[in-house]
Amino acid sequence: MATEGNVMELGLIGLGRMGGNMRERLRRAGHTVVGYDRNPDVSDVGSLKELVERLSAPRAVWVMVPVGDPTRATVQELADLLDEGDVVVDGGNSRFTDDQKHADILAAQGVGYVDCGVSGGIWGLEVGYGLMAGGSKQDVERLMPIFDTLRPEGPREEGFVHAGGVGAGHYAKMVHNGIEYGLMQAYGEGYELLAASGIVDDIHGTLKAWSRGTVVRSWLLDLLVRALEQDPSLAEIEGYVEDSGEGRWTVEEAIRNSVPAPVITAALFARFESRQDDSPAMKAVAALRNQFGGHAVKAAGPTSGAGDTRS
Amino acid sequence: MATEGNVMELGLIGLGRMGGNMRERLRRAGHTVVGYDRNPDVSDVGSLKELVERLSAPRAVWVMVPVGDPTRATVQELADLLDEGDVVVDGGNSRFTDDQKHADILAAQGVGYVDCGVSGGIWGLEVGYGLMAGGSKQDVERLMPIFDTLRPEGPREEGFVHAGGVGAGHYAKMVHNGIEYGLMQAYGEGYELLAASGIVDDIHGTLKAWSRGTVVRSWLLDLLVRALEQDPSLAEIEGYVEDSGEGRWTVEEAIRNSVPAPVITAALFARFESRQDDSPAMKAVAALRNQFGGHAVKAAGPTSGAGDTRS
Amino acid sequence: MATEGNVMELGLIGLGRMGGNMRERLRRAGHTVVGYDRNPDVSDVGSLKELVERLSAPRAVWVMVPVGDPTRATVQELADLLDEGDVVVDGGNSRFTDDQKHADILAAQGVGYVDCGVSGGIWGLEVGYGLMAGGSKQDVERLMPIFDTLRPEGPREEGFVHAGGVGAGHYAKMVHNGIEYGLMQAYGEGYELLAASGIVDDIHGTLKAWSRGTVVRSWLLDLLVRALEQDPSLAEIEGYVEDSGEGRWTVEEAIRNSVPAPVITAALFARFESRQDDSPAMKAVAALRNQFGGHAVKAAGPTSGAGDTRS
Amino acid sequence: MATEGNVMELGLIGLGRMGGNMRERLRRAGHTVVGYDRNPDVSDVGSLKELVERLSAPRAVWVMVPVGDPTRATVQELADLLDEGDVVVDGGNSRFTDDQKHADILAAQGVGYVDCGVSGGIWGLEVGYGLMAGGSKQDVERLMPIFDTLRPEGPREEGFVHAGGVGAGHYAKMVHNGIEYGLMQAYGEGYELLAASGIVDDIHGTLKAWSRGTVVRSWLLDLLVRALEQDPSLAEIEGYVEDSGEGRWTVEEAIRNSVPAPVITAALFARFESRQDDSPAMKAVAALRNQFGGHAVKAAGPTSGAGDTRS
């Protein structure tokens, strides 16, 4: 890990939207980044082995691949390739429960491990990424030149934290994303109510006017304003929302810790609902109303039933 | 109000699904019922005036028409037609806040008023109706022969209550219906989970096995079992559920009284969602994810977008 | 497993509130039950070994001990003691994910396995228990004399179901309990609203009047009426509610299957909240209001702050 | 309404935390503000009559008093005092349904009316206030010098909107506050989970690290970081949170418009719960568990019951 001034060498595995941008941001700052991706068009080397060989010991390798099996496999392969004194960072959105396993696999080879939650999306290239690291003090400190380049400019503590031991970085990122679900849903509900009521004429202008001075000003609000500038009634977007794990894990953790989390959970369930063509639960409710009240039901399929005719 | 033994005369306005059955149940018990409905095919008389003339004073008139303007107009008309000492029952699902207004209109003519929540749906004809009455002791007592016939057999207090003053009957019915929303949604969610998990093979059989001995046994469960007997996967029913006021009023009352009502409210919102083709709130959330993460969105309309390609 | 007519031998491990009552119900029907409990005052034998020796092969042993380690240890011990052709039933509230593990442990010794959800609480002794069984057809069938005695009288399918393979019984019981959470919370919210509004004078009478004919009639309602008969304002009971696992598992399963379960989850979170002396989340919200609005906060501890003085 | 350059005269009624700061911000910009408050220590004049006399016609008067009766009374009094061509602004947190009534009262005297939602709390003096105005184009335009001073510096449309006709300003503010409830609760839940799990060591540092670059960065987050700097575990603040109307109105409006608003509603209910010493709903649930399972209940009062002893 040759460092000169504030620059150092880094192996970076996974050059998708996030990893590719991170490589660029690091290189602009003078770091030497050797990137690997399965896609040879973007990869600097042909294999992990070659990546490791291109780095000077003690090496630092940042993993930025999909969570679960791909990350596990990468960590396992790195454990075989790296040497004592090297360090691996998992910057993906791994579940925090994976971290100690990964740390153990690497520790058996004398390789250090840091988990690092990375927030900021496609804006991180220019703005910098919010970083939450977990691991030993020693492992975290040797990576500071990388963290300091990836994080936004300004005071270090406003864009980076060494949150705790192994797993703490991903835990912090998980909670961050759970909060994110709640924030987005709150704006979504407010937007829908403005649109439904017909009392506010200028919805985009209203959201934009919240940009400064108000209690609800935020980056997400700015993005919603931006989206409405591009598509004033969101006519081109379907209300279909994926979820990528952290929201579910946050709710599972809330349950494990007996923490009430009604807002984050409601936001998660709203995403589930958004992806359902029809709801079996509501079929059951409709069936029940029909059973006790003779309330008309809507027939499934092309021909729809009559309205409620109960007098 | 000629009563002989336990039978009496009753005017009954509104002969739809509920009113028609109630007339039948009352007649089977020997009461004299003069029914009026806008539909001449089911009406016994041609007008409210004629209905009033057909009854002996002191008269009792039961109103069973849609809530809001129709009920208000009927009460107003009855106030003009009836005489001091008569009594009116509103057995519809009026908001409790209407009751004092109706009582005042009638009281100005010396006419009594009772609000009566009626539960039981189309089963009431055979099983009897659960009744919740509000009004003065005197007004309620003179109607007891009617209440005793309409309510199910068994101890009076298991199917009838004089809940309190004017409005208390409809308030009790409102809360009853709010609870009903929550109960139905709980069964719906459980049903959906059984169906989604694929671990329980015999879903209908499982629900049916809950009919006796279990903690969740109930009449609604029996009805759900019945619905599944008729349509084992509810394939013919769309998950589209109307709501008819009481659920909304229950939540509004919860808010007015600072009572947390997360279950009843979630059940209400699930109905709102069930009726939306697309959710503006989720459009906003999808737009936000696209803005910050470059997450693909589903294009609205026939051509659907690609999946989430964030790496 | 000597069976004569409809009676058979059963080993029963765990003679607490549930197990003790089940032994009694089985004995009343003529079954031979050898019970074991750590508490020698209620135990028929001094050890599991003695229990096994007292039974004729092929044996049936019903396990009714706390979930998790105690059940696991009992299954392991039985695997060592039992012989090929015997069968074990886990009638406790085990997580369904434990069942295949237990089945595998026993199968290695040629011992069959059935998981059986049991509902009914302390009322089961007299009323019978609702039963949901998972396992092979063969294993379930040989236990039918036991199931038929434990379940309530009436048609078998109204109190018993062979829900599916190993795990399906506990899965069905888990969902049953999740629904139960939702039902109880719905009644609880309705009760609170009746109590808070002051419009209904006779709350106990109102709930009692829902016993017959109404849509919300159920066994749980009957129990709530009974509780109010014993303590009309529930003055002697604190609003502190434990949860015992199934509710959490239901929500976790809902998440795993992308099933929205807002009602069941709200009921679970209400229990979490009921056990908190103070809420860190609401501390944060109070702190935020104080930060932006200068809203007064309530000081923690004996001296409480002033009200909101924002003008 | 003498205006010279960008300065003008304004009457300002209500000089509490908000109104007092607004007067100061306006005066710093050169406007002539005549303030009235019931508290003579802060009031510039002794009566509304005197305030009106001190202003040159056509006058502009800004009302900043508590919602409901005080605002209504002030509007009524102003209608009597003001002349044709004057204009009144209600900058308080009135329910939007009051606005047309106030506009009508004033219109009868030829006085214009603008409702203006004002966000920013105690920070507005220095940072400026987010403003959402409703009313006629003419009325809003003549007040622009005031709006431009009160709003934050930067592009006008990022801190001010003419949202629509009478009522639209307060409607926008109501939705703003509903969203605010959801945002605060989301942060609160995340904070509680971080605190409960014990996996993240540096909670304050983690929240602070979200300040830049992350998806959840916002002004509310900055305030939460600030609160934790002052009281690292919020030990001095009780989790007791008032609500001041807009959250309730938002949910009521969601219901009126059939808009699902699970997150905003959950945030509102969490505040209700935070103010309950004990929950009648959870008393009912505890009573039910005791009834069916013999589960121990916690006795209310000083002596607490035993734990759950169901085996």
Side-chain angles (χ1 to χ4, degrees):
Chain A
M1 185 155 34
T3 67
E4 190 181 325
N6 284 322
V7 297
M8 57 183 276
E9 280 183 18
L10 184 76
L12 180 52
I13 302 168
L15 301 169
R17 206 165 306 180
M18 291 292 283
N21 278 350
M22 289 163 71
R23 177 175 61 176
E24 175 63 17
R25 185 170 172 93
L26 289 166
R27 282 182 174 163
R28 288 184 189 172
H31 297 287
T32 300
V33 183
V34 182
Y36 171 75
D37 196 276
R38 288 179 311 176
N39 175 0
D41 294 344
V42 298
S43 192
D44 301 320
V45 291
S47 68
L48 285 194
K49 187 164 179 294
E50 190 183 339
L51 177 139
V52 169
E53 288 166 357
R54 288 266 296 273
L55 299 170
S56 324
R59 301 173 192 85
V61 180
W62 188 294
V63 180
M64 207 68 194
V65 304
V67 305
D69 290 343
T71 294
R72 174 66 56 90
T74 302
V75 165
Q76 189 65 63
E77 196 172 349
L78 286 173
D80 297 338
L81 292 169
L82 292 174
D83 297 318
E84 189 160 348
D86 294 344
V87 66
V88 169
V89 183
D90 178 9
N93 277 326
S94 294
R95 201 179 197 288
F96 77 99
T97 44
D98 286 345
D99 289 312
Q100 193 57 55
K101 297 173 198 163
H102 294 171
D104 290 345
I105 289 168
L106 292 162
Q109 309 299 324
V111 177
Y113 178 79
V114 170
D115 54 285
C116 186
V118 178
S119 179
I122 54 178
W123 298 77
L125 172 58
E126 303 300 337
V127 175
Y129 302 90
L131 304 176
M132 301 137 254
S136 73
K137 193 176 174 190
Q138 183 190 355
D139 284 338
V140 169
E141 280 189 355
R142 60 199 280 198
L143 291 157
M144 281 314 303
I146 297 298
F147 292 142
D148 277 336
T149 298
L150 289 176
R151 70 170 174 80
E153 291 193 31
R156 179 185 281 174
E157 63 270 24
E158 295 186 3
F160 171 83
V161 67
H162 181 190
V166 166
H170 279 141
Y171 201 92
K173 179 58 165 33
M174 177 194 77
V175 175
H176 166 282
N177 281 32
I179 292 171
E180 178 188 310
Y181 277 48
L183 302 182
M184 291 166 79
Q185 190 69 24
Y187 287 116
E189 292 177 12
Y191 167 76
E192 179 167 341
L193 183 51
L194 287 176
S197 68
I199 289 170
V200 166
D201 295 329
D202 186 357
I203 293 173
H204 170 257
T206 295
L207 297 184
K208 188 159 191 173
W210 294 344
S211 301
R212 295 173 186 253
T214 71
V215 175
V216 303
R217 64 193 193 258
S218 72
W219 188 59
L220 280 167
L221 174 69
D222 296 343
L223 292 181
L224 185 52
V225 171
R226 195 168 175 268
L228 289 167
E229 262 155 26
Q230 295 165 2
D231 181 1
S233 62
L234 302 181
E236 294 172 23
I237 291 175
E238 195 179 318
Y240 179 101
V241 187
E242 298 282 357
D243 74 282
S244 52
E246 293 94 344
R248 298 175 185 228
W249 303 334
T250 304
V251 177
E252 288 169 5
E253 273 296 290
I255 291 172
R256 195 176 67 84
N257 289 284
S258 302
V259 167
V263 158
I264 294 173
T265 307
L268 178 65
F269 286 161
R271 295 190 177 195
F272 292 172
E273 286 152 10
S274 81
R275 306 199 298 261
Q276 291 189 311
D277 280 333
D278 201 358
S279 158
M282 300 320 287
K283 281 171 172 276
V285 174
L288 279 171
R289 290 184 85 234
N290 176 254
Q291 286 289 333
F292 71 70
H295 299 281
V297 295
K298 265 195 147 175
T303 47
S304 152
D308 187 343
T309 61
R310 175 180 174 182
S311 64
Chain B
M1 185 154 39
T3 66
E4 190 179 326
N6 284 321
V7 299
M8 56 183 276
E9 280 183 18
L10 185 74
L12 180 52
I13 303 169
L15 301 168
R17 207 165 306 181
M18 292 292 282
N21 279 350
M22 289 163 71
R23 176 174 63 175
E24 175 63 17
R25 185 170 172 93
L26 289 166
R27 283 181 174 166
R28 288 184 189 171
H31 297 288
T32 300
V33 183
V34 182
Y36 171 74
D37 196 276
R38 288 179 309 175
N39 175 1
D41 294 345
V42 298
S43 192
D44 301 321
V45 291
S47 67
L48 285 195
K49 186 163 180 294
E50 190 183 341
L51 177 138
V52 170
E53 289 166 357
R54 288 267 295 271
L55 298 170
S56 324
R59 303 173 191 85
V61 181
W62 188 294
V63 180
M64 207 68 194
V65 304
V67 306
D69 290 344
T71 294
R72 173 67 55 90
T74 303
V75 166
Q76 189 65 62
E77 196 173 349
L78 287 172
D80 295 340
L81 293 168
L82 291 174
D83 297 317
E84 189 159 348
D86 293 345
V87 66
V88 169
V89 184
D90 178 8
N93 278 327
S94 294
R95 202 179 196 287
F96 76 99
T97 44
D98 286 345
D99 289 312
Q100 193 58 55
K101 297 173 198 163
H102 295 171
D104 291 346
I105 290 169
L106 292 161
Q109 308 300 323
V111 178
Y113 178 79
V114 170
D115 54 286
C116 185
V118 178
S119 179
I122 56 178
W123 298 77
L125 172 57
E126 303 300 338
V127 175
Y129 302 90
L131 304 176
M132 301 137 254
S136 72
K137 193 175 175 192
Q138 183 191 353
D139 284 338
V140 170
E141 280 190 354
R142 58 199 280 199
L143 291 156
M144 281 315 303
I146 297 297
F147 293 142
D148 277 336
T149 297
L150 289 176
R151 70 170 175 80
E153 291 193 31
R156 178 186 281 174
E157 63 270 24
E158 295 185 3
F160 171 84
V161 68
H162 181 189
V166 166
H170 279 140
Y171 201 92
K173 179 59 166 31
M174 176 195 77
V175 175
H176 166 283
N177 281 33
I179 292 171
E180 179 189 307
Y181 277 48
L183 303 182
M184 290 166 79
Q185 190 68 24
Y187 286 116
E189 291 177 13
Y191 167 76
E192 179 167 341
L193 182 52
L194 287 175
S197 68
I199 289 170
V200 166
D201 295 330
D202 186 356
I203 293 173
H204 170 255
T206 295
L207 297 183
K208 188 159 192 174
W210 295 344
S211 301
R212 295 172 186 254
T214 71
V215 175
V216 303
R217 64 192 192 258
S218 72
W219 188 58
L220 280 166
L221 174 68
D222 296 343
L223 292 181
L224 185 52
V225 170
R226 194 168 175 269
L228 289 167
E229 263 155 24
Q230 295 165 2
D231 181 1
S233 62
L234 303 180
E236 294 172 23
I237 292 176
E238 194 179 319
Y240 179 101
V241 187
E242 297 282 358
D243 74 282
S244 51
E246 293 94 344
R248 299 176 184 227
W249 302 335
T250 305
V251 177
E252 288 169 4
E253 272 297 290
I255 291 171
R256 195 176 66 83
N257 289 283
S258 302
V259 167
V263 158
I264 294 173
T265 307
L268 177 66
F269 287 161
R271 294 190 176 195
F272 292 172
E273 285 152 11
S274 81
R275 306 199 299 259
Q276 291 189 310
D277 281 333
D278 201 357
S279 159
M282 301 319 287
K283 281 171 172 275
V285 174
L288 280 171
R289 291 184 84 234
N290 175 254
Q291 287 288 334
F292 71 70
H295 299 281
V297 294
K298 266 196 147 172
T303 47
S304 154
D308 187 342
T309 60
R310 176 180 174 182
S311 65
Chain C
M1 184 154 39
T3 68
E4 190 180 325
N6 285 321
V7 299
M8 55 182 277
E9 279 184 18
L10 183 75
L12 180 52
I13 301 168
L15 301 169
R17 206 165 307 179
M18 292 293 282
N21 279 349
M22 290 163 71
R23 176 173 62 176
E24 175 63 17
R25 185 170 173 94
L26 289 166
R27 282 182 174 164
R28 287 183 189 171
H31 298 287
T32 300
V33 182
V34 182
Y36 171 75
D37 196 276
R38 289 179 310 176
N39 174 2
D41 294 344
V42 297
S43 191
D44 301 321
V45 292
S47 67
L48 284 195
K49 185 163 180 298
E50 189 182 340
L51 176 139
V52 169
E53 288 166 356
R54 287 267 297 272
L55 298 170
S56 323
R59 303 173 192 86
V61 180
W62 188 294
V63 179
M64 207 68 196
V65 303
V67 306
D69 290 342
T71 294
R72 173 67 55 92
T74 303
V75 166
Q76 189 65 61
E77 195 172 350
L78 286 173
D80 297 338
L81 293 169
L82 292 174
D83 296 319
E84 188 160 348
D86 293 345
V87 66
V88 168
V89 184
D90 177 9
N93 277 326
S94 295
R95 202 181 196 286
F96 76 99
T97 43
D98 286 345
D99 288 312
Q100 193 58 55
K101 296 173 198 164
H102 295 171
D104 291 344
I105 289 168
L106 293 162
Q109 309 300 322
V111 177
Y113 179 78
V114 170
D115 54 285
C116 186
V118 178
S119 179
I122 55 177
W123 299 78
L125 171 58
E126 303 300 337
V127 175
Y129 302 90
L131 303 175
M132 300 136 255
S136 73
K137 192 175 176 191
Q138 183 189 354
D139 284 339
V140 169
E141 281 189 354
R142 60 201 279 199
L143 291 155
M144 282 313 304
I146 297 298
F147 293 143
D148 277 337
T149 297
L150 288 176
R151 70 171 175 81
E153 291 193 31
R156 178 186 280 174
E157 63 270 23
E158 296 186 3
F160 171 85
V161 67
H162 180 190
V166 166
H170 279 140
Y171 201 92
K173 180 58 166 32
M174 177 194 77
V175 175
H176 166 282
N177 281 33
I179 292 170
E180 177 188 310
Y181 277 49
L183 302 182
M184 290 165 79
Q185 190 69 23
Y187 287 115
E189 292 177 12
Y191 167 75
E192 180 168 341
L193 182 52
L194 287 175
S197 68
I199 289 170
V200 166
D201 295 330
D202 186 356
I203 293 173
H204 170 256
T206 294
L207 297 184
K208 188 159 192 173
W210 294 345
S211 301
R212 295 173 186 252
T214 71
V215 175
V216 303
R217 64 191 191 259
S218 72
W219 188 57
L220 280 167
L221 175 68
D222 296 343
L223 293 181
L224 185 52
V225 170
R226 193 167 176 269
L228 290 167
E229 263 155 23
Q230 295 164 3
D231 180 2
S233 62
L234 303 180
E236 293 172 22
I237 292 175
E238 194 179 319
Y240 178 101
V241 187
E242 298 281 357
D243 74 283
S244 52
E246 293 93 343
R248 298 175 185 228
W249 303 333
T250 304
V251 178
E252 287 168 5
E253 273 297 289
I255 291 172
R256 195 176 66 84
N257 289 284
S258 302
V259 167
V263 158
I264 294 173
T265 307
L268 178 65
F269 287 160
R271 294 189 177 195
F272 292 171
E273 285 152 10
S274 81
R275 305 199 300 260
Q276 292 188 311
D277 280 332
D278 200 357
S279 158
M282 300 320 287
K283 282 171 171 276
V285 174
L288 280 171
R289 291 184 85 232
N290 175 253
Q291 286 289 333
F292 71 70
H295 299 281
V297 295
K298 264 195 147 175
T303 46
S304 153
D308 187 343
T309 60
R310 173 178 176 184
S311 64
Chain D
M1 186 155 39
T3 66
E4 190 179 326
N6 284 321
V7 298
M8 55 184 275
E9 280 183 17
L10 183 75
L12 180 52
I13 301 168
L15 301 169
R17 205 164 308 179
M18 291 294 282
N21 279 349
M22 289 163 70
R23 177 174 61 175
E24 175 63 17
R25 185 171 173 92
L26 289 166
R27 283 182 174 164
R28 288 184 189 172
H31 297 287
T32 300
V33 182
V34 182
Y36 170 75
D37 197 276
R38 288 179 310 176
N39 175 2
D41 294 344
V42 297
S43 191
D44 301 320
V45 291
S47 67
L48 284 195
K49 185 162 180 296
E50 190 183 339
L51 177 139
V52 169
E53 288 166 358
R54 287 267 297 272
L55 298 170
S56 324
R59 304 174 192 85
V61 180
W62 188 294
V63 180
M64 208 67 195
V65 302
V67 306
D69 290 342
T71 294
R72 173 66 56 91
T74 303
V75 165
Q76 189 65 62
E77 195 173 349
L78 286 173
D80 296 338
L81 293 168
L82 292 174
D83 296 318
E84 188 159 348
D86 294 345
V87 66
V88 169
V89 184
D90 177 8
N93 277 326
S94 295
R95 202 180 197 286
F96 76 99
T97 44
D98 286 345
D99 289 312
Q100 194 58 55
K101 296 173 199 165
H102 295 172
D104 291 345
I105 290 168
L106 292 161
Q109 308 299 323
V111 178
Y113 178 78
V114 170
D115 54 285
C116 186
V118 179
S119 179
I122 55 177
W123 299 77
L125 171 59
E126 303 299 337
V127 175
Y129 302 90
L131 303 176
M132 300 137 254
S136 73
K137 193 175 175 193
Q138 183 190 354
D139 284 338
V140 170
E141 281 190 354
R142 59 201 278 199
L143 291 156
M144 282 314 304
I146 297 297
F147 293 143
D148 277 337
T149 297
L150 288 176
R151 69 170 176 81
E153 291 191 31
R156 178 186 281 174
E157 63 271 23
E158 295 186 4
F160 171 84
V161 67
H162 180 189
V166 166
H170 279 139
Y171 201 91
K173 179 59 165 33
M174 177 195 76
V175 175
H176 165 283
N177 281 32
I179 292 171
E180 178 189 309
Y181 277 48
L183 303 182
M184 290 166 79
Q185 190 69 23
Y187 287 115
E189 292 177 13
Y191 167 76
E192 179 168 340
L193 183 52
L194 287 175
S197 68
I199 289 170
V200 166
D201 295 330
D202 186 357
I203 293 173
H204 170 257
T206 294
L207 297 184
K208 188 158 191 173
W210 294 345
S211 301
R212 294 173 186 253
T214 71
V215 175
V216 303
R217 64 191 191 258
S218 72
W219 188 58
L220 280 167
L221 175 68
D222 295 343
L223 292 182
L224 185 52
V225 170
R226 193 166 176 270
L228 289 167
E229 263 155 25
Q230 295 165 1
D231 180 0
S233 61
L234 303 180
E236 293 172 23
I237 291 175
E238 194 179 319
Y240 179 100
V241 187
E242 298 282 357
D243 74 284
S244 52
E246 293 93 343
R248 298 175 184 228
W249 302 335
T250 304
V251 177
E252 287 169 6
E253 272 298 289
I255 291 172
R256 195 176 66 83
N257 289 283
S258 302
V259 167
V263 157
I264 294 173
T265 307
L268 178 65
F269 286 160
R271 295 190 176 193
F272 292 171
E273 285 152 11
S274 81
R275 305 200 298 261
Q276 292 188 311
D277 280 333
D278 200 357
S279 158
M282 301 319 287
K283 282 171 171 274
V285 174
L288 280 171
R289 292 184 84 234
N290 175 254
Q291 287 289 334
F292 70 70
H295 300 281
V297 295
K298 265 194 146 175
T303 46
S304 152
D308 187 344
T309 59
R310 175 178 174 184
S311 65

